Amino acid sequence: MPRRKQLTFKIKDLRCAQYLIAELSQLPQLANFDMTSIEISIKENRPAPKIIKKDIDVLIDRLQRGFSANKHTLTQLNGRYLVTNTHLSKWMRTTPASVNKWIKDGLIKPCQDPHVCFDYFNVDEVTEQLRNQKQ
């Protein structure tokens, strides 16, 4: 992913500089600093995270096949299969880092259960979350 563009402005070039300098000058930790050298940096918005649409059907198919072929080996708790992100990555034939990025970006969400101390997934919910990415 390319770096985001960044713009930098010197505070002395802004019309509101005197107000910002007056406000910051009152802070004791900035007593020995040159207030005219302040710069403001602004970064470009990040694009919304997404999974490529043509890959979603393939991922869903692989996930469902992998789950049905391996569910007999999974641990169950209260009738729920404890599917980890490692299982997801193996079944969808992607890397654990990709699955972790999808989790971090909010594309897929783990189940919330106070009795389990790690993140686990419901395959039907993950499938639905992947389908929602296609829209």
Side-chain angles (χ1 to χ4, degrees):
M1 176 182 284
R3 290 186 177 210
R4 297 188 301 170
K5 292 180 185 175
Q6 180 174 327
L7 298 176
T8 304
F9 300 97
K10 297 206 178 283
I11 197 170
K12 63 184 177 184
D13 297 337
L14 302 175
R15 285 185 282 157
C16 63
Q18 62 185 5
Y19 302 110
L20 292 171
I21 290 171
E23 184 73 26
L24 292 172
S25 297
Q26 294 175 1
L27 298 174
Q29 62 265 35
L30 299 177
N32 295 329
F33 287 86
D34 177 20
M35 293 297 161
T36 59
S37 67
I38 297 173
E39 293 181 347
I40 297 175
S41 296
I42 303 171
K43 289 188 178 182
E44 181 180 44
N45 286 335
R46 287 188 178 187
K50 61 184 176 186
I51 302 171
I52 300 172
K53 287 185 179 184
K54 67 179 184 176
D55 294 341
I56 291 175
D57 290 329
V58 174
L59 292 172
I60 290 171
D61 185 51
R62 288 177 181 172
L63 175 61
Q64 290 173 336
R65 287 174 185 248
F67 176 69
S68 63
N70 295 297
K71 67 181 172 185
H72 67 280
T73 64
L74 295 173
T75 305
Q76 288 189 25
L77 178 67
N78 298 332
R80 291 180 154 216
Y81 291 102
L82 299 180
V83 177
T84 64
N85 55 348
T86 307
H87 291 118
L88 291 178
S89 65
K90 187 185 297 183
W91 296 339
M92 290 190 284
R93 296 184 213 147
T94 186
T95 63
S98 293
V99 174
N100 290 335
K101 184 176 181 328
W102 297 340
I103 294 166
K104 180 181 159 205
D105 291 341
L107 300 177
I108 59 175
K109 294 178 178 72
C111 295
Q112 302 295 324
D113 189 349
H115 299 86
V116 181
C117 60
F118 61 90
D119 289 341
Y120 72 96
F121 299 86
N122 180 332
V123 173
D124 293 331
E125 289 177 9
V126 172
T127 302
E128 188 62 33
Q129 292 165 2
L130 288 172
R131 282 195 180 112
N132 290 341
Q133 293 302 312
K134 197 171 180 180
Q135 298 173 359

